[in-house]
């Protein structure tokens, strides 16, 4: 029996942080290094940034389309963040989880709360904190994707968002990117190995002890 084929249930890895902390950067690195991990691509009513691709970073929708998805119960969670609506399409998550793949959610604390209520067993949540408010501001400015008033709004919202670290399973401070990334990677690696996520270990035990034919 191939150890890689042991039946397992995927991890729902929720990554939240104030805007500009480095969530997208760490998500990108995780996705590049973990073949079994896929990003939950959210729907949003926010305007597309120059560097973003529709369908890859987000599904960009009108408010009317968003309301329809929400009313059809097609969203696993949704929230208003920085004056725009964001939501997680249910179908892609159900499919990935059903196939034993891990799913990464780059969502805010309101979405994190909803997923933790709905799927506590599957969710592993990580809150990223910046090293200082000055560094958070300079990362938002350096990213150069948002207008000055948008940056100001995101900094003001950070003050509301930061206290929610207490609701998360893990907290990682993103001062040095390499270290923060490897800490998040370690969390994912360890959580994947939790006994409860591998129902196939019962069959594997039978195989090891020569009690069946697989
Ligand atoms: P978020 O997704 O949380 O809004 P991003 O991943 O877009 O944040 O990061 C914001 C900016 O900060 C980007 O320009 C990114 O390259 C930079 N950045 C991310 N992590 C670090 C770090 N540890 N040190 C310095 N700059 C960082
Ligand atoms: P941004 O506009 O910078 O891409 O994202 C703004 C905030 O919205 C971030 O905190 C991001 O994690 C959050 N976000 C993105 N997609 C979703 C989603 O589907 N649901 C929720 N609740 N938040 C989201």
């Amino acid at each position: 029996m191939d150890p890689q084929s042991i039946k397992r249930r995927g991890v729902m890895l929720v990554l939240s942080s104030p805007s500009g902390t480095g969530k997208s950067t760490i998500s990108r690195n995780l996705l590049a290094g973990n073949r079994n991990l896929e990003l939950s691509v959210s729907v949003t009513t926010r305007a597309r940034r120059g560097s973003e691709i529709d369908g890859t970073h987000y599904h960009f929708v009108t408010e009317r389309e968003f309301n329809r998805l929400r009313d059809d119960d097609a969203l696993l969670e949704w929230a208003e963040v920085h004056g725009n609506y964001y939501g997680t399409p249910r179908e892609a998550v159900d499919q990935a989880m059903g196939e034993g793949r891990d799913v990464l959610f780059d969502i805010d604390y309101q979405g994190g709360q909803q997923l933790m209520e709905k799927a506590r067993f599957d969710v592993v949540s990580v809150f990223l904190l910046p090293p200082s408010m000055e560094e958070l501001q300079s990362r938002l400015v350096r990213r150069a994707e948002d207008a000055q008033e948008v940056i100001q709004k995101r900094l003001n919202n950070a003050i509301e968002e930061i206290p929610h670290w207490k609701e998360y399973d893990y907290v990682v401070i993103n001062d040095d990117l390499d270290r923060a990334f490897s800490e998040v990677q370690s969390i994912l690696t360890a959580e994947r190995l939790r006994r409860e996520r591998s129902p196939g270990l019962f069959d594997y035990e039978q195989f090891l002890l020569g009690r069946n034919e697989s």
Side-chain angles (χ1 to χ4, degrees):
M1 184 175 182
D2 175 6
Q4 299 310 316
S5 70
I6 293 174
K7 192 166 167 296
R8 64 185 292 276
R9 187 150 173 89
V11 174
M12 289 170 67
L13 182 65
V14 171
L15 210 52
S16 300
S17 75
S19 185
T21 304
K23 227 172 336 106
S24 310
T25 309
I26 289 179
S27 297
R28 218 171 19 251
N29 293 350
L30 284 171
L31 291 162
N34 294 272
R35 265 188 307 122
N36 200 46
L37 179 70
E38 65 181 65
L39 179 68
S40 164
V41 180
S42 298
V43 289
T44 182
T45 59
R46 154 164 92 55
R48 189 176 65 79
R49 293 181 185 134
S51 63
E52 290 175 328
I53 301 166
D54 192 10
T56 300
H57 299 95
Y58 282 105
H59 300 290
F60 295 95
V61 294
T62 62
E63 206 162 314
R64 196 189 161 122
E65 287 168 320
F66 187 94
N67 290 341
R68 193 176 51 76
L69 289 169
R70 189 195 53 202
D71 296 345
D72 288 350
D73 202 28
L75 302 179
L76 199 50
E77 63 73 35
W78 67 273
E80 185 179 348
V81 191
H82 315 312
N84 294 298
Y85 292 103
Y86 295 83
T88 299
R90 183 188 297 279
E91 201 177 316
V93 177
D94 285 349
Q95 186 169 349
M97 291 297 290
E99 291 169 7
R101 277 178 284 129
D102 304 312
V103 185
L104 175 63
F105 300 85
D106 172 339
I107 60 178
D108 87 320
Y109 72 90
Q110 304 172 80
Q113 285 171 347
Q114 293 173 56
L115 290 194
M116 285 186 250
E117 275 164 27
K118 284 191 177 151
R120 193 64 196 93
F121 173 78
D122 292 321
V123 170
V124 174
S125 58
V126 182
F127 200 88
L128 291 176
L129 287 171
S132 68
M133 297 311 272
E134 292 73 26
E135 174 61 14
L136 183 64
Q137 177 163 19
S138 72
R139 284 184 195 172
L140 282 168
V141 171
R142 251 184 286 140
R143 184 166 72 186
E145 298 260 23
D146 299 313
Q148 184 50 43
E149 74 262 22
V150 173
I151 290 179
Q152 199 48 52
K153 188 172 196 176
R154 284 171 180 244
L155 279 171
N156 291 340
N157 287 345
I159 295 162
E160 309 289 316
E161 291 166 338
I162 284 172
H164 289 278
W165 64 266
K166 303 176 197 74
E167 296 151 19
Y168 282 67
D169 298 322
Y170 297 92
V171 178
V172 169
I173 299 173
N174 181 19
D175 46 358
D176 178 75
L177 179 61
D178 289 344
R179 212 205 47 238
F181 166 66
S182 85
E183 288 175 353
V184 179
Q185 178 64 63
S186 304
I187 294 165
L188 176 60
T189 303
E191 288 284 348
R192 271 181 172 152
L193 294 170
R194 284 190 84 96
R195 165 167 52 79
E196 302 88 336
R197 291 210 165 85
S198 291
L201 282 173
F202 288 96
D203 287 342
Y204 194 62
E205 176 190 358
Q206 297 301 306
F207 157 73
L208 283 177
L209 300 179
R211 292 186 181 145
N212 71 4
E213 314 219 306
S214 46

